[in-house]
Amino acid sequence: LVKASFTLPAQEQVDLSVVNVTGKTVLRAANGNEWPSGPSTISLDCSRLPVGSYFVELRTGEAVETRRLVIER
């Protein structure tokens, strides 16, 4: 499992996805779920994804944050 941590300034709807280098969503962990303000951590089961580079995208009503994810075995 891969853990993604983030902090929200206020309670918001969150979309959290893993996308490949071509921009295709390969894993969706939160799809418009409501999250409380403050720090949060969500576990991503990336065990079925092939080795390679991906991006974790966190989208809220006001912002998009992208982080690089490299899967190695």
Side-chain angles (χ1 to χ4, degrees), residues 51-71:
V51 170
S53 294
Y54 298 88
F55 298 96
V56 178
E57 288 185 348
L58 173 70
R59 295 179 180 269
T60 64
E62 304 210 2
V64 177
E65 184 175 330
T66 304
R67 296 182 189 166
R68 187 169 178 223
L69 169 66
V70 176
I71 297 181

Side-chain angles (χ1 to χ4, degrees), residues 17-73:
S17 302
V18 177
V19 297
N20 63 18
V21 293
T22 65
K24 180 181 176 187
T25 299
V26 294
L27 179 67
R28 188 172 302 274
N31 190 11
N33 300 24
E34 197 76 24
W35 286 85
S37 63
S40 295
T41 301
I42 189 167
S43 296
L44 305 169
D45 182 3
C46 297
S47 62
R48 295 185 179 171
L49 297 178
V51 170
S53 294
Y54 298 88
F55 298 96
V56 178
E57 288 185 348
L58 173 70
R59 295 179 180 269
T60 64
E62 304 210 2
V64 177
E65 184 175 330
T66 304
R67 296 182 189 166
R68 187 169 178 223
L69 169 66
V70 176
I71 297 181
E72 301 175 332
R73 301 230 195 312

